[in-house]
Amino acid sequence: MVVKSAYMARKAGTRDKSELKNSGFTPEEEIQAYSDMLLIRRFEEKAGQLYGMGFIGGFCHLYIGQEAVVVGLQMAQEEGDQVITSYRDHGHMLASGMDPKGVMAELTGRRGGYSKGKGGSMHMFSREKQFFGGHGIVGAQVPLGAGLAFADKYKNNGRVSFTYFGDGAANQGQVYETFNMASIWKLPVVFVIENNRYAMGTAAPRSTAMADQLGARGGAFGIPFEQVDGMDVHAVKEAGDRAVEHCRTGEGPYILEMMTYRYRGHSMSDPAKYRAKEEVQKMREEHDPIEQVKARIIKGNIASEDDLKKIDAEIRVIVTEAAEFAQGDPEPDVSELWTDIYVTA
Amino acid sequence: MPNILMPALSPTMEEGKIAKWLKKVGDPVKSGDVIAEIETDKATMEVEAVDEGPLTAILIPEGTENVKVNTPIAVIGEADALSPPALRATSPVKGEEKSGAPPLSSPLAGEVASRSGAGGGPTPTDPEIPAGTEMVSMTVREAIREAMVEEMRRDKDVFLMGEEVGQYQGAYKISQGMLDEFGPERVVDTPITEHGFTGIAVGAAFGGLRPIVEFMTFNFAMQAMDHIINSAAKTLYMSGGQMGCPIVFRGPNGAAARVAAQHSQDYAAWYAQIPGLKVVMPYSAADAKGLMKAAIRDPNPVIFLENEILYGKSFEVPKLDDWVVPIGKARVARAGKDVTIVAFGIGMTYALAAAEKLAAEGIEAEVIDLRTIRPMDIATVVESVKKTNRCVAVEEGFPQFSVTSEIAAQVMTHAFDWLDAPVARVAGKDVPMPYAANLEKLALPNADEVVAAAKGVLYV
Ligand SMILES: Cc1ncc(C[n+]2csc(CCOP(=O)(O)OP(=O)(O)O)c2C)c(N)n1
Ligand SMILES: [Mg+2]
């Protein structure tokens, strides 16, 4: 069969939504999930490399290991649904269909970046792709995401807001203020808790009561919740379908607690001394989201090793081009220092 | 065939030592394999390969020191690589997230160094240090830690709480080793819940303890603003003097490097506006230590504003059993007769560098380090202005409704007849902090702006 990466397919606008409603993946969906996850992984590896070379400054939080969460949920979304998340946002942007060049150029602080170089890794947005950031303050995106859903409901536009946050963010009080309001007002918001078991150097049980039951906290507000194997893109997508169905039929919010894992340190300068190397190794070997799909593809004769290598090569080209663009693009014009502070009529 | 380059393993790393090669020439290397250990100034870190293929050559043998970032250190893989040389670091160093100067190869090179650069110049002896006192060199980081440790040894009611202060040893390593000495009852790791733990700390202070609350950075204290102001600052007044709140809120404040608008704000003016709070913002390690001890002993809520770029900078600190610097007293950091430059915190780096440049042109600037923002020692400033008749005020924060606008107003009120020119101000630009390296540099004040302002008030 002809293998075409999902990234290219999406750019060409060929995705057929009705197909995605089936449980279990079609061969095309398997390939799509594989390519979308691989794009994120390769992009993040490249970002790590550019950080090491001094092209990216400040904080840079990689998404490696968690790819199945955004990719699976993206497959459950429809055009027009909104996404909002924390500073660990590169994967969400790529999954939303944002251009890797624009994302990478923002990481290097260049004029072709999504925020013209003024936001950086943690603060990037695309209204066109309904991606609402990129937020540096832990937990702040949770009420903001519910606000997007408030607007959706107000406008009765049938859209759903996907509001992502971490296990650490789950301890911020504003999360529960938001749960309460989302519930009483039946806001169409899917709260996605990316429980990667660490908040910086703190293992979740050290800071969090019932640390593996974060979704259940929504139960007190009458919000339905599910715990999902966030390393398995099938499970993610299926749970996403249920959540979306609930929201779109006007039933109010839904919580998905994604059990996932980040392979790298919290940010580029975290030595990750707080966890055993074996723990990371075990996750990579036994639960890697990309390897899981790859194994299914090979086993189901959907594509050959060679086909998959071709996809990898194609993705590497996309990522290399993004990196080249991000290194060669000029810094913003100095006049940009004074723009975008107020909207001028 | 792709070269593996010496990676920058922290934003401040410029060179390092190849401690160990974990692969030999000819060994197959898979993506994710640890291929070498590299020592930086701060930590030993593992380097993982991104590219796959045999290790074709090792260009720099193990044991080599001072290998510059971006030097090729090995060659990997077959000739056809779709992606260029790749390396990644799994570790670096200090805090949460670092910051500080990026490697020399980046467009920001030299920027941070100049912002934290030594002030130099003749320093009048600080009257608070007895003659003959031995001085020891220490970083601001060590000074703050020593002050907390000494006070916690002295007073069992003092405890430290905040995110990552214990097991992780502090996001910026200020509290390194303190969990070991004082245990988890007194070095308390909190969840990420600033509003909640600040409320608990204020309650503990009402209950008779003396909490030190570390904010990972002051940007996150905005989540806790209600308790800092409505609970900590106002309750004494509202209770007719019954309910004091002896508490220190501390942490890095202001711009670090390339962390953009939500992580770069200077809050000096915000807190300094509030009656009931004291606000301290030291520059040197000696002041950091002495003022921290004073802050912990103070019966009022004290906002103690630190700076990440200053953490690693060394200063002479008097070796005294109990070095306490009084809150509310400015220091003449450099004597001069032509113009008064008032600064505080990292603003002192621009002020001192500017004084040095002005001296080269025969202009003698007197530099005053405010040290405390509230209560402000305006008397020391006025005394200086009466001598120089000209004043430049410097800060890194936003320019409107700022600390320097307060200084200008106070100097006008108290020294109007002595001024030969309007007070000039140098501050951060009136924009959210941009991420791009070139724009960030423009957004921050620098020594040349201070020089220009000084010349402006001297009409030269
Ligand atoms: C209000 C606030 N407090 C502290 C921080 C510093 N900080 C940045 S990320 C982080 C950990 C968050 O962990 P989690 O929510 O689990 O997300 P993850 O990084 O695992 O994706 C902390 C403490 C911040 N950015 N904002
Ligand atoms: Mg987490």
Side-chain angles (χ1 to χ4, degrees):
Chain A
M1 62 172 292
V2 182
V3 174
K4 196 168 168 202
S5 88
Y7 175 71
M8 289 310 187
R10 183 159 58 245
K11 283 206 109 175
T14 57
R15 258 179 78 203
D16 181 355
K17 289 289 173 184
S18 58
E19 232 177 276
L20 302 187
K21 293 273 185 267
N22 310 327
S23 69
F25 278 14
T26 63
E28 288 73 22
E29 285 170 339
E30 293 284 17
I31 296 290
Q32 180 192 345
Y34 177 76
S35 336
D36 283 0
M37 290 194 288
L38 199 60
L39 175 68
I40 295 172
R41 173 123 349 149
R42 295 285 177 250
F43 182 95
E44 293 291 66
E45 287 168 354
K46 182 61 80 180
Q49 202 182 324
L50 291 183
Y51 192 93
M53 292 161 73
F55 281 102
I56 297 172
F59 299 149
C60 182
H61 310 84
L62 302 183
Y63 195 64
I64 296 177
Q66 301 181 214
E67 296 91 344
V69 178
V70 282
V71 168
L73 288 181
Q74 211 283 331
M75 293 171 80
Q77 283 165 30
E78 274 181 19
E79 195 89 19
D81 290 344
Q82 299 102 343
V83 172
I84 187 167
T85 188
S86 70
Y87 45 84
R88 196 178 301 286
D89 54 359
H90 312 164
H92 304 70
M93 294 189 280
L94 296 174
S96 301
M98 287 166 65
D99 182 355
K101 283 190 177 139
V103 178
M104 197 69 97
E106 190 59 40
L107 298 186
T108 55
R110 305 306 171 92
R111 61 180 62 176
Y114 270 97
S115 300
K116 304 181 198 162
K118 291 162 43 159
S121 160
M122 299 186 287
H123 320 104
M124 242 184 282
F125 309 81
S126 168
R127 270 206 177 267
E128 186 206 341
K129 298 292 179 191
Q130 297 291 304
F131 179 74
F132 286 83
H135 295 268
I137 302 301
V138 169
Q141 75 275 22
V142 180
L144 300 177
L148 296 170
F150 186 97
D152 289 334
K153 176 152 189 191
Y154 195 94
K155 292 190 268 188
N156 196 20
N157 63 11
R159 300 278 67 93
V160 172
S161 158
F162 284 77
T163 299
Y164 291 80
F165 58 99
D167 47 287
N171 289 320
Q172 287 285 34
Q174 55 186 318
V175 171
Y176 302 96
E177 299 179 19
T178 304
F179 279 6
N180 185 47
M181 287 180 275
S183 180
I184 57 172
W185 294 334
K186 286 199 184 314
L187 301 182
V189 50
V190 181
F191 295 109
V192 185
I193 308 174
E194 295 197 70
N195 188 345
N196 62 9
R197 298 171 35 187
Y198 292 89
M200 276 187 60
T202 301
R206 289 182 45 229
S207 66
T208 309
M210 309 287 279
D212 56 355
Q213 297 293 323
L214 299 181
R217 294 177 172 195
F221 298 90
I223 305 176
F225 58 91
E226 283 186 47
Q227 191 171 67
V228 183
D229 177 359
M231 305 300 276
D232 175 3
V233 72
H234 278 197
V236 171
K237 198 269 183 181
E238 279 167 23
D241 285 342
R242 286 188 291 274
V244 166
E245 167 75 18
H246 181 88
C247 288
R248 267 203 239 289
T249 51
E251 298 294 310
Y254 202 91
I255 296 175
L256 297 175
E257 181 184 12
M258 296 290 174
M259 305 311 281
T260 182
Y261 199 78
R262 72 165 151 74
Y263 294 174
R264 298 295 201 86
H266 168 72
S267 69
M268 290 304 298
S269 52
D270 169 21
K273 293 275 155 62
Y274 43 80
R275 63 183 184 191
K277 248 193 239 161
E278 293 70 39
E279 180 184 303
V280 184
Q281 209 47 43
K282 196 167 149 56
M283 268 291 172
R284 286 187 157 193
E285 274 160 20
E286 295 171 16
H287 299 281
D288 187 76
I290 299 177
E291 290 301 321
Q292 287 189 42
V293 174
K294 186 173 170 184
R296 274 199 292 259
I297 290 173
I298 303 287
K299 196 158 156 247
N301 280 325
I302 294 168
S304 67
E305 285 269 6
D306 266 357
D307 293 332
L308 296 185
K309 279 213 176 100
K310 272 186 217 132
I311 292 179
D312 195 3
E314 187 189 352
I315 285 170
R316 280 180 190 273
V317 169
I318 292 168
V319 168
T320 302
E321 282 174 3
E324 278 164 6
F325 175 72
Q327 291 169 75
D329 193 39
E331 290 187 310
D333 190 84
V334 295
S335 64
E336 289 289 352
L337 183 63
W338 298 103
T339 62
D340 305 321
I341 299 161
Y342 297 101
V343 176
T344 43
Chain B
M1 242 179 297
N3 281 332
I4 296 179
L5 306 180
M6 182 74 171
L9 300 172
S10 81
T12 43
M13 173 174 166
E14 287 163 17
E15 56 180 38
K17 172 179 172 183
I18 312 260
K20 202 168 186 187
W21 281 106
L22 300 169
K23 297 276 175 194
K24 297 190 302 294
V25 171
D27 282 357
V29 174
K30 288 214 318 291
S31 156
D33 283 355
V34 177
I35 55 171
E37 282 178 7
I38 289 182
E39 262 174 52
T40 71
D41 49 338
K42 297 174 187 105
T44 301
M45 309 199 304
E46 294 177 341
V47 175
E48 290 180 14
V50 171
D51 283 328
E52 318 226 324
L55 190 65
T56 324
I58 286 178
L59 305 174
I60 311 261
E62 70 180 38
T64 313
E65 305 205 16
N66 308 330
V67 182
K68 295 260 179 296
V69 165
N70 279 338
T71 313
I73 56 173
V75 183
I76 197 168
E78 337 286 351
D80 94 354
L82 274 156
S83 81
L87 252 207
R88 68 192 187 212
T90 45
S91 322
V93 284
K94 29 171 226 181
E96 132 162 54
E97 310 194 325
K98 45 19 49 166
S99 86
L104 276 177
S105 58
S106 94
L108 242 195
E111 217 273 281
V112 171
S114 72
R115 290 173 59 210
S116 60
T123 308
T125 32
D126 198 324
E128 293 131 2
I129 306 172
T133 301
E134 186 193 339
M135 303 295 279
V136 290
S137 170
M138 98 174 40
T139 62
V140 171
R141 173 181 282 113
E142 290 161 346
I144 295 168
R145 181 189 308 138
E146 264 197 21
M148 290 196 292
V149 166
E150 286 176 17
E151 291 306 297
M152 283 175 69
R153 285 178 190 152
R154 197 184 55 80
D155 181 351
K156 292 264 171 302
D157 289 339
V158 179
F159 70 99
L160 174 67
M161 105 190 293
E163 293 161 22
E164 308 286 3
V165 296
Q167 278 196 23
Y168 196 73
Q169 309 294 323
Y172 295 95
K173 300 290 172 270
I174 305 300
S175 56
Q176 189 143 36
M178 289 177 64
L179 176 65
D180 276 354
E181 175 169 353
F182 299 106
E185 293 77 24
R186 298 185 68 198
V187 178
V188 183
D189 277 323
T190 66
I192 310 169
T193 172
E194 287 84 1
H195 190 216
F197 70 70
T198 302
I200 287 176
V202 171
F206 289 157
L209 299 184
R210 291 183 166 265
I212 306 170
V213 175
E214 172 173 313
F215 291 114
M216 190 176 284
T217 78
F218 263 96
N219 302 283
F220 315 141
M222 283 206 283
Q223 301 272 332
M225 209 46 125
D226 180 59
H227 278 307
I228 298 174
I229 292 169
N230 273 324
S231 307
K234 299 180 182 171
T235 303
L236 181 71
Y237 192 81
M238 296 188 299
S239 65
Q242 300 173 70
M243 295 271 292
C245 186
I247 192 167
V248 178
F249 299 105
R250 53 154 290 268
N253 168 66
R258 305 293 305 282
V259 292
Q262 291 185 332
H263 284 71
S264 300
Q265 195 165 329
D266 174 2
Y267 290 91
W270 278 50
Y271 293 110
Q273 223 247 334
I274 304 299
L277 294 181
K278 294 187 178 181
V279 183
V280 168
M281 189 157 160
Y283 162 63
S284 74
D287 288 342
K289 181 172 180 190
L291 282 164
M292 176 57 78
K293 286 169 70 89
I296 294 169
R297 292 180 196 186
D298 200 283
N300 295 290
V302 179
I303 307 286
F304 194 93
L305 302 170
E306 302 162 13
N307 185 287
E308 194 193 330
I309 289 167
L310 293 178
Y311 277 153
K313 191 165 148 56
S314 293
F315 294 84
E316 299 286 289
V317 178
K319 196 172 174 192
L320 293 168
D321 285 345
D322 201 19
W323 169 245
V324 183
V325 172
I327 291 176
K329 195 160 176 297
R331 184 175 74 100
V332 178
R334 175 178 177 126
K337 59 173 179 37
D338 297 328
V339 54
T340 300
I341 302 177
V342 188
F344 50 94
I346 194 158
M348 281 296 293
T349 60
Y350 315 127
L352 290 170
E356 204 60 19
K357 290 182 179 208
L358 289 164
E361 300 185 40
I363 298 168
E364 286 177 39
E366 179 145 298
V367 180
I368 294 177
D369 182 354
L370 275 185
R371 307 196 287 193
T372 299
I373 314 300
R374 181 190 187 97
M376 193 184 283
D377 181 5
I378 207 68
T380 296
V381 177
V382 166
E383 200 184 316
S384 173
V385 170
K386 286 182 178 175
K387 182 171 69 175
T388 64
N389 312 113
R390 297 155 206 278
C391 182
V392 175
V394 182
E395 73 185 308
E396 208 176 82
F398 297 132
Q400 299 195 34
F401 314 98
S402 66
V403 178
T404 53
S405 38
E406 177 66 17
I407 294 170
Q410 296 274 359
V411 170
M412 187 185 72
T413 305
H414 298 291
F416 188 74
D417 291 339
W418 281 272
L419 283 173
D420 285 347
V423 175
R425 302 192 292 130
V426 176
K429 305 302 176 291
D430 201 15
V431 304
M433 185 64 76
Y435 168 71
N438 64 331
L439 300 186
E440 184 187 54
K441 199 170 166 178
L442 289 171
L444 290 163
N446 59 52
D448 288 337
E449 289 178 358
V450 179
V451 168
K455 289 183 174 173
V457 295
L458 283 157
Y459 302 110
V460 296

